[in-house]
Amino acid sequence: DLAALAQNYRDLQSRLAGARLGAVVKANAYGLGAARVAQTLRQQGCRDFFVAHLEEALSLKQELQKDSNLFVLNGLHPGSEERCAAAGVIPILNSLAQIRNWSAFARRQDVELPAVLQFDTGMSRLGLSADEANELIGNRALLDGIRILFVMSHLACADDPDSAQNEAQRSLFEKYAASFSGVPR
Ligand SMILES: *Cc1c(COP(=O)(O)O)cnc(C)c1O
């Protein structure tokens, strides 16, 4: 029901007090059809779309207008940096290895490349571990050649507002994000 989808988008956006609302459309938009779901949300003003893998981003890219941003939640497999950059797809960097590869590729091309940083604050699926986050914060040169568009994390219990884990994740995220002043969260 694309009309319901559009209504849900408007409803969420109206509660967000100016924050930017993106859409996760991985796994073919959870089986609903990534292209038509993304097009519907784009008509409502959505410009940020998230998929799991580069292949998904490359095929969705062909369906979307140039004003939309495509983000790869799982980051980049070693060796796929060139295809990602050529398509203008934005990786979400989840490990120091991914950061090193993206930075090395950018420096070889002598360009600055966009990326998002994800911190694992308790989901235990994707994102920099505490050790990796602290290493990165202590050695910002690891990000040479990378322009950080925003920092993010993934709530493990977002569907349970009363879960104590929400506040634990929020405060840990706050701690990491404080080292990236001026960068959207
Ligand atoms: C898949 C994913 C989402 C969306 O999560 P669902 O549990 O599928 O709603 C959000 N953030 C990240 C980092 C993801 O990988």
Side-chain angles (χ1 to χ4, degrees):
D1 185 340
L2 296 176
L5 192 70
Q7 177 62 50
N8 286 346
Y9 185 87
R10 288 195 298 275
D11 182 50
L12 281 171
Q13 184 69 79
S14 74
R15 300 186 203 191
L16 283 177
R20 206 172 155 120
L21 176 60
V24 177
V25 290
K26 63 188 176 192
N28 199 25
Y30 301 87
L32 298 173
R36 61 184 187 158
V37 164
Q39 289 290 7
T40 299
L41 296 176
R42 188 187 166 279
Q43 282 161 18
Q44 300 303 317
C46 187
R47 293 293 180 271
D48 298 323
F49 298 93
F50 297 77
V51 293
H53 304 287
L54 179 59
E55 297 307 325
E56 294 176 275
L58 296 177
S59 69
L60 189 54
K61 184 97 194 164
Q62 298 170 6
E63 313 281 345
L64 277 176
Q65 285 76 356
K66 285 204 170 60
D67 59 6
S68 294
N69 303 310
L70 275 162
F71 300 92
V72 178
L73 287 163
N74 290 31
L76 291 174
H77 292 295
S80 62
E81 293 80 15
E82 184 164 5
R83 287 166 66 227
C84 183
V89 168
I90 302 160
I92 293 178
L93 303 174
N94 292 299
S95 67
L96 289 180
Q98 290 182 353
I99 290 170
R100 284 198 184 91
N101 287 341
W102 197 233
S103 168
F105 179 77
R107 284 179 286 125
R108 273 201 307 278
Q109 309 293 309
D110 202 19
V111 293
E112 198 179 47
L113 291 174
V116 174
L117 283 183
Q118 174 158 227
F119 298 104
D120 178 14
T121 57
M123 183 75 180
S124 303
R125 194 198 285 168
L126 290 170
L128 294 161
S129 66
D131 283 352
E132 289 190 311
N134 290 325
E135 187 175 337
L136 177 66
I137 288 165
N139 182 8
R140 300 294 286 267
L142 291 168
L143 293 171
D144 281 355
I146 301 177
R147 181 164 41 92
I148 303 297
L149 301 184
F150 55 89
V151 293
M152 63 176 278
S153 191
H154 192 177
L155 291 168
C157 304
D159 50 355
D160 178 7
D162 296 330
S163 168
Q165 189 169 345
N166 292 324
E167 174 54 22
Q169 288 194 256
R170 192 199 64 76
S171 66
L172 185 55
F173 180 65
E174 185 73 33
K175 193 189 94 175
Y176 295 141
S179 297
F180 296 88
S181 68
V183 177
R185 303 166 182 193

